[in-house]
């Protein structure tokens, strides 16, 4: 087993992060496997050095260790460019100049990850790419280059279930995802995450149920980049007193705040429903 915890340094870690990281770390230990920490710092407008340092501090306080060196995605943009060139040569990506407002005004419906792109720029070729364009994956074209139906295994303890990727769901509920962001040129989450999971030999991905709807398009991207598909475990989410998922955008209480108030790592484990050590 090789698994990982891959946070973005765009805010402090909260209890939901702690739960996910502890699960991955302990499952690696039980399996005599490897636990990796990866810093997914490709959102250049939001990442902060102090948040990255806080990740190391929080995880060490919780009693975790990981192999060195830690992969920081911002140090490897050339790798993601190579993956984009691979897809471009096969006609699988296209440039897009659409803003969020243009997409919304075109009547885009809400899907698994925001608005489903309605294909406004799908007719454009890479020869037409302009500075500041986003690059999108042509889902329909990608599906034609897959010989067998993509699938993945969801592992929930002793229960393993094979899930087949629905082409209709990808086209109508996911749409042509962004692989390189508009204006900044940063590699988008789907591309960098899938690329690095393959590069690092990740065999098991342990993450929250909120990412379940995004798994099919990542499995498709794995197939298109000739990368293996890991086994997945999408765990329950840690929620607040009102049942809402904890999130940085909602300024959920930081682990460092609990620590400053005198909480112990075992207190954190109790808060997220894990046995004490």
């Amino acid at each position: 087993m090789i698994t990982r915890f891959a946070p973005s340094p765009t805010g402090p870690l909260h209890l939901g992060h702690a739960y996910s990281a502890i699960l991955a770390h302990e499952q690696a230990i039980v399996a005599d496997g490897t636990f990796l920490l990866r810093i997914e710092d490709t959102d250049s407008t939001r990442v902060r050095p102090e948040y990255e340092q806080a990740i190391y501090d929080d995880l060490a306080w919780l009693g975790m260790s990981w192999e060195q060196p830690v992969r920081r995605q911002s140090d490897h943009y050339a790798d993601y460019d190579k993956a984009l060139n691979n897809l471009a040569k096969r006609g699988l990506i296209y440039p897009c100049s659409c803003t969020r407002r243009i997409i919304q005004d075109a009547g885009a419906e809400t899907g698994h990850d925001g608005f489903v792109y309605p294909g406004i720029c799908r007719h454009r070729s890479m020869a037409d790419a302009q500075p500041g364009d986003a690059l999108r994956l042509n889902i329909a074209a990608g599906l034609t280059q897959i010989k067998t139906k993509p699938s993945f295994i969801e592992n929930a303890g002793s229960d393993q279930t094979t899930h087949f990727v629905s082409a209709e769901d990808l086209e109508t509920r996911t749409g042509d995802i962004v692989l390189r962001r508009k204006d900044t040129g940063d590699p988008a989450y789907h591309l960098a995450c899938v690329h690095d999971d393959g590069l690092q030999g990740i065999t098991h991905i342990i993450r929250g149920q909120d990412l379940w709807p995004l798994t099919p398009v990542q499995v498709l991207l794995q197939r298109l980049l000739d990368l293996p598909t890991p086994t997945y475990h999408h765990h329950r989410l840690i929620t607040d007193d009102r049942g809402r998922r904890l999130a940085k955008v909602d300024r959920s209480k930081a682990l460092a705040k609990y620590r400053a108030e005198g909480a112990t790592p075992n207190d954190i484990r109790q808060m997220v429903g894990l046995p004490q050590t």
Side-chain angles (χ1 to χ4, degrees), residues 15 237-247 250 252-253:
L15 289 174
L237 300 178
I238 305 301
T239 58
D240 62 18
D241 293 339
R242 289 181 285 179
R244 298 183 307 176
R245 174 178 68 89
L246 300 183
D250 295 325
S252 297
K253 188 172 180 178

Side-chain angles (χ1 to χ4, degrees), residues 12-16 18 58 61-62 238-241 246 251-265 267-269 271-272:
L13 298 186
H14 51 61
L15 289 174
D58 288 341
W61 174 67
L62 289 171
I238 305 301
T239 58
D240 62 18
D241 293 339
L246 300 183
R251 298 177 182 261
S252 297
K253 188 172 180 178
L255 291 179
K257 179 68 172 176
Y258 286 106
R259 184 164 69 251
E261 292 174 351
T264 67
D267 292 331
I268 300 298
R269 295 178 68 93
M271 290 177 197
V272 299

Side-chain angles (χ1 to χ4, degrees), residues 101-249:
R101 174 53 63 88
I102 289 173
I103 294 170
Q104 186 174 2
D105 289 347
E109 297 185 1
T110 302
H112 294 313
D113 191 23
F115 290 115
V116 177
Y117 185 67
I120 300 167
C121 290
R122 196 178 293 138
H123 66 283
R124 296 177 60 191
S125 70
M126 287 301 294
D128 181 44
Q130 302 296 318
D133 280 345
L135 295 181
R136 290 184 178 273
L137 176 67
N138 189 323
I139 294 288
L143 288 168
T144 66
Q145 295 192 18
I146 300 298
K147 295 181 179 179
T148 59
K149 195 169 187 178
S151 64
F152 63 95
I153 294 174
E154 178 71 16
N155 181 12
S158 59
D159 183 22
Q160 290 194 347
T161 306
T162 299
H163 295 269
F164 289 93
V165 172
S166 164
E168 180 181 3
D169 187 72
L170 283 177
E171 294 190 66
T172 63
R173 298 287 292 153
T174 302
D176 292 352
I177 57 171
V178 170
L179 297 184
R180 192 180 73 188
R181 293 190 181 94
K182 188 176 183 291
D183 298 327
T184 65
D186 294 332
Y189 162 69
H190 289 296
L191 177 67
C193 174
V194 165
H195 175 280
D196 286 0
D197 284 338
L199 178 73
Q200 295 184 297
I202 302 300
T203 62
H204 291 71
I205 293 178
I206 299 164
R207 61 188 188 183
Q209 290 176 343
D210 54 320
L211 293 175
W212 169 271
L214 306 184
T215 302
V217 75
Q218 293 184 354
V219 171
L220 173 63
L221 196 52
Q222 289 158 3
R223 291 287 296 275
L224 294 175
L225 292 173
D226 196 26
L227 299 172
T229 295
T231 295
Y232 289 85
H233 170 52
H234 292 90
H235 59 71
R236 64 181 174 88
L237 300 178
I238 305 301
T239 58
D240 62 18
D241 293 339
R242 289 181 285 179
R244 298 183 307 176
R245 174 178 68 89
L246 300 183
K248 294 175 187 174
V249 69

Side-chain angles (χ1 to χ4, degrees), residues 83-95:
L84 287 170
N85 289 336
N86 176 334
L87 297 171
K89 289 176 182 177
R90 295 150 58 197
L92 295 178
I93 60 175
Y94 60 89

